[in-house]
Amino acid sequence: MQMRLAILWTAVLLAVTPTVSLAQGTVPTFRRTAGSASYLLPGGDPAKGGFTTIPTVLVPIALYFEAGGTAGKPFVMNAEPDVPGLLRSPVFTNFAFPSGGVAQYADAMLRATFPKADGWHTYLGKPEAKQVKIVVPAGFGYILTSKRSGGALAVADIEFLQRELFKLVPRQEGKLVIAITHNTAYYTEGDATLCCSWGTHGVDSTTGNSFVLGSYLRDAPAVVEDADVQPLTQQLAEFINDPLHDPLHHGRNTAPPGNTFPGWTRPAGQPAGQGGCGGTGVATAYFLLEPTDTNPKNNLPASKAFVAHLGEAAYHLQNVALLPWYTTSSDAGGAFSFPDPRALPNASTPCAGRGARAAEGATPAPASGAALPAALGRQASPNGHQLIGYWAGYGAAGSTFPLREISPQWDVILVAFATPDRSAAEGTMQFQTPAGLDTEQFKADIRYLKSQGRKVMISLGGGGQHFTLADPKRVPNFVSSVARIVADYGFDGVDVDFESPSLSIDPGDTDFQHPTTPSIVNLISALRQLHDRFGAGFMISLVPEGTQIPSGYPSYGGQFGSYLPILYAIRDILSFVDVQDYNTPPLEGLDGEIYQPGAVDYHAAMTELLLHGFAVGGNSRHFFRPLPANKVAVGFLTSDTTPELVSQAMSYLITGHTPNETRYKLRNPAGYPAMIGAMFWTIDADRRSGYNFSNVIGPQLHGYPADRNRQGGRQ
């Protein structure tokens, strides 16, 4: 179907200088030198003046989500009603900007970048509009709704959408495709833990089309802070600074085509991320965040907007970094951001890499473990609550410390990692004593920790380690290799940490109680065989990402809910599950509201899904029964939370004591006193930071009154 909102017109390039090039069918570009490097930008060369009109194709997308609909009907997020508002906005209508003059957003941004260029403009032409429909399977996105406001938010795979879009939009020679979605956030690289952005931009490598893809936000849930055209203007601005960006390679190890800048550091007040580095491209890797964005990892993009009033309408425009901000050269007459030059008052500063680590054995000393809890599954002393942590001993020689030096506050130590052996047959796992440590001493340290009543388990997998067990004939490889590791080192059991895209649910596999995906079915069989081999004392824990269990509430398929069939099948032999509350996108709680990671609300809402049970994929016919509380812990990442927040979350979940400003209300107001406790990635990071988590959370958990019914929870 084609929607015509404007009279079709013929592209006209007005006074385009001969230096303008059309590379691979993309929009006109020119090259500009800044410092020792040169950069391609869209339009005509400002040094030669003139007017350039870029022909534009507007593509409103109707997304049909298989996950989120009712009675077999998909949930539709249709951007067609957003088109009139977009056409009236400063994207296509002139506005008097503080810098750049009276112009469209893109033209004013370029003129603010090159303020000395008189009589020079780059316009987006009046667009022809063509609507497209894209079906989003359950494994490629989901719908979140707010019970309070009735608003809906979609979360979708950006690469899937780009590929589907350009199956429907053929090569548009020299034109700019502007595609809009309605109230949709995106994850990248097929991994919903790499979330969230409002869109993407650049050149589609299949068609050669220059394009900008962004959401239009209207009647969105309250969790969304940006509004109307702000997401689209962010992607449009990033396209202006890097028109040949290849989004399908963004964030990967290969260097993508497009403009490359000196490594820059996020400005003060922005999320620190990895050592505070923003990257070497326009915006950050994965999330395509501007230096003006303030959202932490896995949350929705948010920043203070520039508000443009056109008649009775108010449009929210993204404040963005200009080219001189990235290059640290003052070609813009002192302005580093647009539209508000005050948003980034100074040029970027170089990225110094990862922050320096504190010295090993940092003070203060670890808190005393005078009353270490006994083994899981038995009456613990003093109360059965556990502090669980990963010991990441896979670094280079000299970067690890002996197991026996782990703070006495840690009750369960998960040694990371045994990994798939790529040189052997499918399913084979391998583990070597970490570099710099003696194997016999390492084994002695495990025995030492166990003699104190602590548990030491081997974690299987880890981030970036793809695992599959699709061939049932390879199950013995897994069982024998893991059993050999466990027996050789004396581990108490295994921790299963196969992260996305491992264990993805196959299309057509819709019932978690009767899975058909071979890799999942075979892993269940293998875990039961391991348990049978070692006996009742053998421990098995699961550490799924947020996408692998809580995401199973709004959607079931692909990575979403992929651990639910495993958890259901082995709950009788399961020691505990601790969902990672950090590798996770925004999700919906049992109260029908949307929560983002990094808050007590999120920890409470996501954990109570397990403690209370939920309809998988929103389908009441597939109800996941609640787990006993003494099999549930909460997973935290030391680098993106604080001891205070963790303390509040654990207090709320275990005792029901409600912290200030908490919106999520527990279904069980008294809390879940039989809950195990908290898990952290990592013990190593806690030690480097002076035991600031274990010295706070350990005594807190160990100090709670003993629960009289350790079975806890609801059966």
Side-chain angles (χ1 to χ4, degrees):
M1 180 175 66
Q2 178 173 333
M3 179 179 62
R4 301 176 69 87
L5 299 175
I7 299 175
L8 295 180
W9 52 281
T10 303
V12 179
L13 299 181
L14 302 176
V16 176
T17 69
T19 58
V20 173
S21 64
L22 288 175
Q24 302 175 345
T26 62
V27 302
T29 59
F30 66 91
R31 186 170 293 278
R32 189 73 172 185
T33 300
S36 60
S38 63
Y39 302 93
L40 276 173
L41 302 174
D45 191 341
K48 298 185 178 181
F51 290 64
T52 301
T53 299
I54 299 177
T56 307
V57 178
L58 182 59
V59 184
I61 303 173
L63 296 175
Y64 286 67
F65 285 84
E66 292 182 351
T70 57
K73 296 181 179 180
F75 193 104
V76 182
M77 296 290 267
N78 189 4
E80 181 177 356
D82 301 323
V83 170
L86 172 59
L87 293 176
R88 292 191 295 265
S89 78
V91 174
F92 289 104
T93 302
N94 285 344
F95 176 78
F97 287 96
S99 58
V102 179
Q104 296 173 340
Y105 180 88
D107 185 29
M109 178 182 170
L110 282 165
R111 288 168 57 80
T113 304
F114 304 103
K116 298 178 182 179
D118 295 329
W120 174 68
H121 291 275
T122 306
Y123 295 125
L124 298 183
K126 190 174 183 179
E128 54 179 296
K130 301 177 180 179
Q131 187 185 35
V132 299
K133 168 186 172 180
I134 296 176
V135 176
V136 183
F140 292 88
Y142 55 89
I143 297 291
L144 302 173
T145 57
S146 169
K147 183 178 180 181
R148 186 180 301 112
S149 69
L153 172 71
V155 181
D157 183 328
I158 189 68
E159 296 180 349
F160 166 81
L161 186 63
Q162 180 182 332
R163 291 189 177 99
E164 293 301 305
L165 171 65
F166 289 109
K167 290 178 183 177
L168 303 171
V169 179
R171 185 181 178 96
Q172 304 290 313
E173 197 73 47
K175 299 179 182 180
L176 176 62
V177 175
I178 297 182
I180 60 169
T181 54
H182 176 73
N183 291 4
T184 302
Y186 296 100
Y187 58 88
T188 189
E189 295 200 11
D191 186 347
T193 68
L194 300 177
C195 191
C196 299
S197 75
W198 288 126
T200 187
H201 60 275
V203 177
D204 175 64
S205 56
T206 301
T207 61
N209 287 333
S210 293
F211 78 101
V212 171
L213 167 63
S215 263
Y216 192 103
L217 301 175
R218 179 172 52 86
D219 300 326
V223 70
V224 177
E225 297 182 36
D226 290 353
D228 49 79
V229 297
Q230 189 173 353
L232 189 64
T233 54
Q234 175 169 331
Q235 297 306 319
L236 178 58
E238 292 174 6
F239 173 83
I240 291 170
N241 279 335
D242 192 9
L244 296 188
H245 170 71
D246 182 354
L248 292 182
H249 290 90
H250 191 74
R252 290 189 166 88
N253 293 330
T254 57
N259 293 333
T260 301
F261 302 94
W264 51 272
T265 302
R266 290 187 174 99
Q270 308 306 309
Q274 185 178 7
C277 296
T280 57
V282 167
T284 59
Y286 301 124
F287 311 121
L288 300 179
L289 298 182
E290 278 288 314
T292 51
D293 280 318
T294 58
N295 70 316
K297 179 185 176 184
N298 301 119
N299 286 7
L300 300 170
S303 65
K304 183 178 180 181
F306 177 90
V307 182
H309 294 275
L310 281 171
E312 296 181 355
Y315 289 97
H316 297 76
L317 311 178
Q318 180 77 17
N319 284 309
V320 297
L322 293 173
L323 183 66
W325 186 86
Y326 292 101
T327 62
T328 67
S329 64
S330 184
D331 195 16
F336 296 107
S337 58
F338 169 86
D340 186 352
R342 299 168 298 179
L344 294 171
N346 303 304
S348 63
T349 56
C351 175
R354 291 180 180 268
R357 292 182 171 181
E360 294 290 355
T363 56
S368 171
L372 287 171
L376 282 173
R378 297 200 297 267
Q379 181 64 35
S381 175
N383 60 7
H385 296 296
Q386 309 285 322
L387 187 64
I388 306 165
Y390 282 86
W391 180 83
Y394 53 84
S399 65
T400 59
F401 62 95
L403 287 172
R404 66 172 52 238
E405 293 183 10
I406 289 175
S407 163
Q409 289 298 321
W410 298 100
D411 309 307
V412 181
I413 295 92
L414 307 174
V415 174
F417 290 105
T419 59
D421 187 347
R422 306 301 179 198
S423 65
E426 177 185 305
T428 305
M429 303 297 291
Q430 62 179 345
F431 177 75
Q432 289 86 34
T433 303
L437 299 180
D438 177 77
T439 297
E440 293 308 313
Q441 185 59 53
F442 185 76
K443 295 177 181 179
D445 284 356
I446 292 175
R447 294 193 296 271
Y448 171 75
L449 294 175
K450 292 170 65 173
S451 72
Q452 298 178 326
R454 301 201 258 183
K455 293 295 183 179
V456 185
M457 303 167 66
I458 180 66
S459 185
L460 311 177
Q465 295 290 334
H466 182 262
F467 171 83
T468 184
L469 198 57
D471 186 350
K473 296 179 181 178
R474 302 303 185 185
V475 170
N477 296 337
F478 178 85
V479 174
S480 62
S481 61
V482 173
R484 185 166 53 251
I485 294 169
V486 169
D488 188 23
Y489 283 86
F491 291 117
D492 288 297
V494 296
D495 170 70
V496 180
D497 186 19
F498 297 128
E499 302 182 358
S500 296
S502 300
L503 307 180
S504 180
I505 300 168
D506 288 346
D509 186 353
T510 59
D511 184 356
F512 74 93
Q513 298 181 73
H514 302 93
T516 59
T517 301
S519 192
I520 291 175
V521 172
N522 294 332
L523 179 60
I524 292 170
S525 172
L527 292 175
R528 298 202 73 91
Q529 290 181 44
L530 278 171
H531 187 269
D532 291 344
R533 176 173 296 197
F534 286 98
F538 184 75
M539 297 178 65
I540 300 176
S541 63
L542 304 177
V543 56
E545 296 171 302
T547 56
Q548 295 172 319
I549 283 188
S551 284
Y553 183 33
S555 178
Y556 185 72
Q559 64 197 285
F560 305 124
S562 61
Y563 264 60
L564 288 174
I566 304 170
L567 184 54
Y568 174 80
I570 68 165
R571 65 166 57 203
D572 60 318
I573 58 173
L574 178 73
S575 299
F576 61 88
V577 57
D578 42 5
V579 176
Q580 301 175 40
D581 275 8
Y582 43 93
N583 281 344
T584 176
L587 289 169
E588 190 175 324
L590 290 169
D591 61 349
E593 297 303 325
I594 304 167
Y595 298 100
Q596 300 199 86
V600 171
D601 285 319
Y602 186 89
H603 298 306
M606 296 306 105
T607 305
E608 202 171 39
L609 286 170
L610 287 172
L611 294 167
H612 195 272
F614 59 92
V616 176
N619 188 340
S620 59
R621 293 177 300 173
H622 297 299
F623 189 80
F624 181 81
R625 292 186 295 109
L627 282 176
N630 68 344
K631 290 181 180 285
V632 178
V634 188
F636 299 94
L637 177 66
T638 56
S639 63
D640 75 350
T641 189
T642 65
E644 292 75 19
L645 190 146
V646 176
S647 177
Q648 291 176 7
M650 297 315 302
S651 175
Y652 188 31
L653 282 163
I654 292 175
T655 72
H657 177 72
T658 308
N660 294 332
E661 302 180 1
T662 300
R663 293 182 297 119
Y664 181 82
K665 303 301 180 184
L666 290 176
R667 290 296 186 268
N668 183 4
Y672 299 88
M675 268 191 66
I676 291 179
M679 174 275 283
F680 287 91
W681 178 270
T682 61
I683 292 173
D684 313 56
D686 174 66
R687 173 186 167 99
R688 289 193 298 268
S689 62
Y691 308 98
N692 59 340
F693 284 94
S694 59
N695 277 4
V696 172
I697 309 305
Q700 176 185 355
L701 294 175
H702 300 150
Y704 284 129
D707 180 53
R708 294 181 179 179
N709 178 15
R710 284 300 298 165
Q711 287 304 308
R714 295 173 50 191
Q715 299 294 331

